[in-house]
């Protein structure tokens, strides 16, 4: 979910885009709108400012760390105020409009400075945090479903990206998992909340190759249909946006894994086995799908041969 501060950054990015397009496409109209004399020099500067705004929009909306682009906006705001002040003296058509434009620029400058300072204080981890939420209904009682999940060493049975989970203490465990590009990552985790039959919450313990936290809830499904299992996870993906993109292309992004894991969990609880096609026993990762083969017709029943389809005998 986007936070209020993130919404401000997004707004500033779209504001730059919305301002830059008319400045580049119709600089004369923008000059007249802000009360500046419409001539070749004014149009040149207006187009230049528009190009700068479009570049800022691309940086703010397209980059994972937009703080430098926000500081570029602050510098651009100072440039705009200088140009408007000069126009008020030498090229004013309507002074009130220029003064109003200067007030608007001053206001947006404050927002740019506040957001740039906020983002500049965030640590540069080089990682990408992903939040995933999924739910599935299992035709078993909540206590039974909770009990199976609570035995953490059961998790690799349906979480195919996990190599192993070893319980190391009362609430501590050691996890080993497959990562994209044939890597293995490890971390220790602790259970931070445990309500029997209702909820389990955990978080990784630093240092961890993959920082993560989450919870799983077990509640009676409507109509006595079993148990609703709701999984809420937050992963820090190594490698930032690039690492997340590669993981998605390989079908190994955290949210893809979680969705597949819950479906396997349902199958294990209800049927005791995981039902998969022979070509994709481990899920929907792209590299596994390459092993699929075309569907084959069912084998011909024993005793069925040519000339027997119409029921006649020779």
């Amino acid at each position: 979910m986007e936070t209020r501060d993130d919404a401000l950054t997004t707004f500033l990015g779209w504001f730059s885009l919305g301002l830059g397009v008319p400045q580049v496409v119709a600089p004369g109209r923008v000059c007249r709108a802000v009360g500046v004399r419409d001539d070749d020099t004014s149009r040149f500067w207006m187009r230049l400012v528009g190009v700068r705004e479009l570049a800022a929009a691309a940086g703010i909306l397209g980059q994972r760390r937009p703080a430098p682009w926000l500081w570029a906006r602050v510098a651009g705001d100072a440039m705009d105020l200088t140009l408007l002040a000069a126009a008020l003296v030498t090229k004013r058509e309507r002074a009130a409009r220029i003064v109003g434009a200067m007030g608007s620029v001053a206001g947006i400058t404050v927002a740019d400075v506040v957001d740039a300072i906020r983002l500049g204080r965030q640590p540069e981890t080089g990682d990408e945090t992903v939040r995933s939420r999924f739910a599935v209904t299992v035709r078993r009682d909540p206590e039974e479903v909770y009990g199976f999940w609570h035995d953490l060493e059961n998790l690799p049975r349906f979480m195919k990206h996990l190599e192993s989970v070893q319980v190391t203490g009362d609430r501590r465990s050691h996890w080993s998992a497959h990562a994209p590009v044939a890597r293995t990552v490890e971390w220790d985790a602790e259970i931070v909340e445990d309500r029997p039959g209702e909820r389990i919450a955990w978080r990784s313990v630093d240092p961890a190759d993959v920082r993560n936290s989450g919870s799983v809830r077990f509640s009676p499904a409507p109509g006595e249909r079993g148990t609703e299992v709701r999984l809420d996870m937050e992963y820090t993906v190594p490698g930032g946006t690039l690492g997340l993109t590669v993981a998605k292309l390989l079908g190994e992004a955290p949210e893809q894994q979680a969705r597949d894991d819950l479906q396997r969990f349902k199958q294990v609880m209800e049927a005791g086995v995981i039902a998969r096609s022979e070509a994709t026993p481990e899920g929907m990762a792209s590299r596994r799908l390459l092993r699929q083969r075309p569907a084959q017709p069912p084998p011909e029943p024993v005793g069925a041969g040519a000339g027997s389809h119409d029921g006649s005998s020779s």
Side-chain angles (χ1 to χ4, degrees):
M1 178 181 295
E2 186 177 55
T3 66
R4 183 177 301 175
D5 289 335
D6 292 333
L8 175 59
T9 302
T10 301
F11 165 76
L12 292 172
W14 284 106
F15 180 83
S16 284
L17 182 63
L19 187 61
V21 170
Q23 286 176 325
V24 172
V25 175
R29 290 186 179 183
V30 179
C31 286
R32 294 191 295 272
V34 299
V36 175
R37 188 183 308 152
D38 181 11
D39 57 27
D40 290 342
T41 302
S42 297
R43 291 189 179 195
F44 168 79
W45 282 106
M46 189 62 69
R47 283 197 179 95
L48 186 64
V49 170
V51 170
R52 186 202 70 210
E53 291 290 348
L54 293 178
I60 294 171
L61 297 174
Q63 298 296 316
R64 193 173 61 86
R65 294 292 178 180
W69 295 94
L70 285 165
W71 283 117
R73 269 197 56 81
V74 173
D77 294 337
M79 171 184 169
D80 293 346
L81 289 171
T82 301
L83 290 173
L84 288 170
L88 186 62
V89 175
T90 62
K91 292 191 175 186
R92 68 182 183 186
E93 290 285 341
R94 297 183 181 181
R97 290 191 179 185
I98 295 180
V99 172
M102 293 177 70
S104 298
V105 172
I108 206 69
T109 301
V110 173
D112 288 334
V113 170
V114 168
D115 205 33
I117 292 175
R118 177 186 68 87
L119 293 177
R121 289 174 177 172
Q122 293 182 350
E124 293 284 343
T125 63
D127 297 335
E128 183 80 9
T129 301
V130 177
R131 183 82 175 268
S132 302
R133 290 178 174 175
F134 298 102
V136 69
T137 300
V138 178
R139 292 194 301 272
R140 289 289 184 272
D141 293 335
E143 291 76 13
E144 181 182 356
V145 177
Y146 161 85
F148 185 90
W149 195 297
H150 189 266
D151 185 354
L152 300 180
E153 295 185 359
N154 281 330
L155 299 185
R157 290 181 58 183
F158 60 89
M159 294 184 174
K160 290 301 182 181
H161 63 288
L162 288 180
E163 292 183 353
S164 65
V165 178
Q166 298 177 342
V167 176
T168 57
D170 183 28
R171 292 190 168 223
R172 290 283 186 112
S173 53
H174 182 78
W175 300 55
S176 178
H178 303 290
V181 199
R183 293 177 55 207
T184 298
V185 292
E186 299 184 26
W187 68 91
D188 289 327
E190 63 178 349
I191 294 177
V192 295
E193 184 179 3
D194 187 358
R195 299 205 302 263
E198 297 181 11
R199 185 173 189 264
I200 303 171
W202 75 90
R203 67 185 175 195
S204 60
V205 179
D206 289 334
D209 290 342
V210 177
R211 294 192 303 277
N212 65 88
S213 62
S215 66
V216 57
R217 293 179 177 270
F218 312 94
S219 57
E224 299 182 351
R225 293 184 297 110
T227 304
E228 285 189 353
V229 181
R230 298 184 179 276
L231 181 63
D232 186 342
M233 297 190 306
E234 187 172 282
Y235 275 81
T236 299
V237 181
T241 303
L242 177 60
L244 182 60
T245 301
V246 171
K248 287 183 176 180
L249 289 174
L250 295 175
E252 295 177 330
E255 65 270 25
Q256 292 169 307
Q257 291 176 342
R259 184 185 296 111
D260 214 24
D261 288 344
L262 279 188
Q263 289 301 318
R264 282 190 292 261
F265 177 65
K266 173 182 173 69
Q267 293 169 4
V268 168
M269 292 302 302
E270 294 180 352
V273 295
I274 297 173
R276 289 289 183 189
S277 74
E278 61 182 277
T280 57
E282 299 178 0
M284 297 302 293
S286 298
R287 55 188 173 84
R288 295 167 187 147
L289 291 176
L290 293 175
R291 298 200 297 266
Q292 287 183 318
R293 59 169 175 77
Q296 302 294 322
E300 191 172 329
V302 176
S308 63
H309 302 290
D310 60 0
S312 62
S313 59
S314 56

